[in-house]
Amino acid sequence: GAGVSQTPSNKVTEKGKYVELRCDPISGHTALYWYRQSLGQGPEFLIYFQGTGAADDSGLPNDRFFAVRPEGSVSTLKIQRTERGDSAVYLCASSPGGQSNSPLHFGNGTRLTVT
Amino acid sequence: GNSVTQMEGPVTLSEEAFLTINCTYTATGYPSLFWYVQYPGEGLQLLLKATKADDKGSNKGFEATYRKETTSFHLEKGSVQVSDSAVYFCALRASGSARQLTFGSGTQLTVLP
C-alpha cells in the first residue's frame, strides 16, 4: 500500500507567517511522529501521537509549535509566527504501534524555508 | 538522557572496499537499536535493527551487532557498491514509556567506481 505522505513537499514563507504541514500516515498505523531535520543533522523528535492523543510532546521547541491528529489518522503540524530558525525539513513517521522494536516508516518530508 | 554518537563523515570509499561506520549510544535500560539510510532525494528507510544484546541485524549485505558491554552498534559491509552511496543514521528507541527514536547526526558515504 501507500507509504507515509507529506504535503506540501516544499513550503516557502515569510518570517512571522503561520504555516501548516500535513502528514497522511500508513493506513492502520496508530502511532505517528513528527521530527525536524536541520541541514547536516539527524532528525530531532518533536511529538508523538498514539491514536488521537499526543502521548509525548516534549520535543516541541516552544509554544509556537502545535500538532493535532483529530481522527487518529491525518496529522497537521502548525507553526505560528515563523522564524528563520524554523527552516528545516519536517519529517513525519508512522508505525503500527508504540512498541520499542517496531520500526518507523518515514515520509519524504516537507522542506520549510522561512525568509 | 538518551544519546547516539556516530562517526563523523564524510566517508569516501572505492567500490568493493570494506565499510565500518561506528556508532555508540547512551541509554537507560535496554533500548532497541536501528540503522536508517537516506538515499539522495528519498526519505529515511530502515536498513536493519537489533532489539537485544548480542543480536545481529542484517540486510542488503550490511550487518551490525548490538554490543551492550561497549554500548555500540557499528555498521559494517564487506564490499560496498556505488549504489550504497547515501547518508546513514544510527538510532535508538528506549524501552519503557519513551517511544521516540533518538538519532545520531548521520554519516555521508560516497562510493566511487
Side-chain angles (χ1 to χ4, degrees):
Chain A
V4 176
S5 175
Q6 291 188 246
T7 53
S9 55
N10 280 283
K11 176 71 177 178
V12 180
T13 191
E14 292 180 349
K15 179 176 178 296
K17 299 291 188 183
Y18 168 83
V19 296
E20 290 189 351
L21 312 179
R22 176 188 167 106
C23 173
D24 210 329
I26 293 172
S27 177
H29 281 192
T30 60
L32 185 145
Y33 306 77
W34 283 99
Y35 285 81
R36 178 167 69 175
Q37 186 175 16
S38 300
L39 191 63
Q41 300 296 315
E44 294 178 303
F45 170 75
L46 296 176
I47 186 170
Y48 155 58
F49 288 89
Q50 184 61 253
T52 60
D56 184 351
D57 64 358
S58 62
L60 294 177
N62 51 59
D63 61 6
R64 296 188 296 107
F65 287 76
F66 190 70
V68 296
R69 195 186 184 198
E71 297 178 357
S73 179
V74 171
S75 176
T76 304
L77 178 66
K78 307 180 181 192
I79 310 174
Q80 298 178 323
R81 305 183 303 280
T82 52
E83 299 177 357
R84 293 195 179 89
D86 298 335
S87 296
V89 177
Y90 289 82
L91 298 172
C92 178
S94 68
S95 72
Q99 295 81 11
S100 61
N101 62 358
S102 180
L104 273 60
H105 300 263
F106 282 85
N108 287 350
T110 294
R111 182 176 298 279
L112 175 66
T113 303
V114 182
T115 62
Chain B
N2 301 324
S3 67
V4 176
T5 301
Q6 64 179 105
M7 171 181 174
E8 290 192 12
V11 174
T12 302
L13 296 173
S14 297
E15 204 164 25
E16 299 183 3
F18 183 84
L19 169 71
T20 300
I21 301 178
N22 290 339
C23 171
T24 57
Y25 68 90
T26 301
T28 55
Y30 300 91
S32 295
L33 301 175
F34 303 83
W35 277 99
Y36 278 80
V37 58
Q38 192 169 32
Y39 297 104
E42 298 185 16
L44 278 166
Q45 303 173 24
L46 177 67
L47 180 59
L48 53 84
K49 70 175 184 179
T51 60
K52 61 183 188 295
D54 300 324
D55 265 3
K56 178 185 284 187
S58 61
N59 185 27
K60 298 182 181 180
F62 291 89
E63 293 183 340
T65 301
Y66 188 142
R67 300 284 188 205
K68 189 158 180 65
E69 63 276 14
T70 55
T71 62
S72 65
F73 193 54
H74 304 321
L75 182 68
E76 296 182 337
K77 186 173 185 181
S79 176
V80 293
Q81 305 301 311
V82 172
S83 57
D84 294 326
S85 298
V87 182
Y88 292 81
F89 293 93
C90 185
L92 72 82
R93 197 168 182 193
S95 57
S97 60
R99 290 289 180 257
Q100 69 269 23
L101 283 170
T102 300
F103 285 88
S105 57
T107 301
Q108 170 79 56
L109 171 66
T110 301
V111 180
L112 303 175

